[in-house]
Amino acid sequence: MLPFSVLDLAPVTEGSNAAQAFANSLNLAQRAESLGYTRYWLAEHHNMPGIASAATAVLIGHVAGGTSTIRVGAGGIMLPNHAPLQVAEQFGTLASLYPGRIDLGLGRAPGTDHATARALRRYFDSADAFPQDVAELLAYFEPATADQPVRAVPGAGIEVPVWLLGSSLFSARLAAAMGLPFAFASHFAPDAMDEALALYRRDFRPSTRLQAPHAMLGINVVAAQSDAEARRLFTTQQQSFINLRRGRPGLIPPPIDDIENYWTPTEKFGVERALACAVIGDANTVKQGLEAFIARHRPDELMVTANVFEHEARCRSFEIVAQVRQDIAIAAEKRSL
C-alpha cells in the first residue's frame, strides 16, 4: 500500500494550553501507530500562539518515547534558524535513543516572521547559504575521520534519513542534485507542485543515501460521518489561515457554521487557493478524492494533515483515512487481477 503519514503542528486550541497540546500529540501518534501510518512528523514554527512545536527536536523525543514502531521526525527543521552542527547533535541523539525511527526533514524558510527569525539566529542574514548548510549537516552524519577538527557527538556515523522540504522549485532542484528524498508542501502552497515534481524526478541523481527519486506530497484531509460535518470541521483551518493573513495569529479556533460570513471574497480566493490540496467529506468522498489525487500526481508517499479543533474528532478523521487507505489498496489490487 502507498505509505500514509501524519503531519502535526501540536495545535493549541482556544481554551487549552501547550501541555494539553503535547498530550494530544502523543495520543494521536499512538493511535496513528496502531492504524498503520508510516511516519509522524512535527513542524517547526515560532511566535505562533496556536502552534506548540517550536522546540521540535524536544517534542520528537517526547513522541518517540511514547511510541514503539512508527517513525518520528521533523517536517521540518527550518535550517536557517540553526547551526548545522547543533541539528546533527540533536538528531544524532534522537537516533541513538530511538534507532531506526528518526527522520530529519529540512526547510529553508524561517517558519516565522523576520523579527523572530533574527531573534532565533541573531547574526544570520538570509537563507542563501541553505545548500551549503545542508551539505555541512550531511557531512556531520558521515563517519568521523581521525583528522576531523569538528564532529557531531553523537551524530557521526549514525544513520539519520534526511529529506528536503519545499514549496518551490528551489528545494526540488537541490534534492534532485543531492540525491535526497523530497517532500512538497502542497498542503498549504500547491501552486508549483506539478512543476517541482517533474523537475525532481527528471533531474534526480542517485546518491549513497538514495538510489531513485522518492517524493512525498502533503494533503489536507478532514473526514467525518458526513460531508457537511467534515466541511464544518474544516472551517477551523480556514479561519486559522484568514487570521494569519490578517496579521492576527492566535489559538486554534472552534469550527463555525457559516464560513462565508467570516471571510471577504478576496480572502476566500486566497485561502481556497492555498488549501486547494484538500479532501473534505465522509469516507466515500475522501476515498474518491484521495484516489483522484494519487492517480494524478503519483506520489511515493502521502503526508496527511488535519487541523481539527476537537481532539477526538481529529483522531476520528485519521481513523477514517486509515480505513480509506485500506479500501484504496484493495480496490487497486482487484483492478490488477
Side-chain angles (χ1 to χ4, degrees):
M1 289 188 291
L2 185 74
F4 277 32
S5 296
V6 176
L7 176 63
D8 182 20
L9 304 183
V12 185
T13 58
E14 291 182 11
S16 186
N17 54 38
Q20 186 60 55
F22 298 147
N24 289 345
S25 288
L26 178 56
N27 179 258
L28 179 58
Q30 291 167 339
R31 296 191 189 195
E33 182 174 74
S34 69
L35 291 167
Y37 284 92
T38 300
R39 312 175 196 276
Y40 195 94
W41 280 9
L42 295 137
E44 176 186 349
H45 291 273
H46 300 277
N47 198 28
M48 298 189 69
I51 298 176
S53 53
T56 317
V58 178
L59 190 52
I60 288 170
H62 172 64
V63 172
T67 53
S68 57
T69 58
I70 195 169
R71 299 192 66 89
V72 187
I77 292 293
M78 301 297 106
L79 192 53
N81 298 337
H82 310 277
L85 175 60
Q86 291 175 315
V87 176
E89 291 170 339
Q90 291 168 0
F91 280 79
T93 299
L94 288 166
S96 298
L97 291 168
Y98 310 104
R101 295 183 55 213
I102 300 300
D103 296 327
L104 172 55
L106 300 173
R108 72 183 183 107
T112 189
D113 56 87
H114 292 297
T116 306
R118 186 160 293 277
L120 284 164
R121 195 172 177 186
R122 293 177 181 274
Y123 305 107
F124 190 79
D125 293 327
S126 72
D128 292 344
F130 182 69
Q132 292 77 22
D133 283 350
V134 173
E136 180 184 345
L137 175 55
L138 292 175
Y140 287 129
F141 287 129
E142 295 298 318
T145 60
D147 59 347
Q148 186 172 328
V150 179
R151 63 184 67 185
V153 182
I158 295 177
E159 183 178 350
V160 179
V162 175
W163 295 65
L164 291 192
L165 318 181
S167 58
S168 68
L169 303 185
F170 182 94
S171 290
R173 187 175 291 110
L174 184 61
M178 300 186 82
L180 296 174
F182 178 55
F184 190 83
S186 37
H187 59 293
F188 71 87
D191 286 355
M193 174 175 55
D194 291 331
E195 190 176 358
L197 278 178
L199 184 154
Y200 171 67
R201 288 165 172 161
R202 182 193 70 216
D203 295 347
F204 181 85
R205 300 177 185 173
S207 70
T208 57
R209 286 180 167 267
L210 190 66
Q211 292 299 300
H214 190 94
M216 177 159 58
L217 297 179
I219 185 168
N220 301 282
V221 184
V222 176
Q225 292 304 113
S226 69
D227 287 357
E229 177 60 15
R231 286 193 296 268
R232 182 177 182 275
L233 294 177
F234 190 51
T235 62
T236 287
Q237 175 78 330
Q238 293 167 322
Q239 291 175 81
S240 295
F241 262 68
I242 295 166
N243 294 342
L244 181 62
R245 294 183 177 209
R246 289 175 179 174
R248 299 198 297 267
L251 301 180
I252 303 302
I256 55 178
D257 292 326
D258 187 4
I259 189 67
E260 298 299 330
N261 285 329
Y262 192 83
W263 54 23
T264 67
T266 300
E267 289 172 335
K268 177 181 180 179
F269 176 81
V271 171
E272 289 186 340
R273 181 171 179 175
L275 301 179
C277 289
V279 179
I280 314 298
D282 64 10
N284 186 57
T285 299
V286 167
K287 180 176 181 291
Q288 293 176 7
L290 287 177
E291 283 181 323
F293 185 84
I294 293 166
R296 176 180 175 184
H297 302 292
R298 300 293 180 185
D300 298 296
E301 296 192 35
L302 276 186
M303 178 64 72
V304 178
T305 188
N307 194 358
V308 174
F309 179 80
E310 201 268 319
H311 178 63
E312 284 303 320
R314 188 171 182 234
C315 290
R316 179 58 183 152
S317 178
F318 280 104
E319 290 172 0
I320 294 171
V321 171
Q323 182 58 58
V324 165
R325 173 175 173 258
Q326 297 275 356
D327 294 342
I328 290 173
I330 292 171
E333 184 177 1
K334 287 181 179 178
R335 287 194 297 269
S336 68
L337 295 177

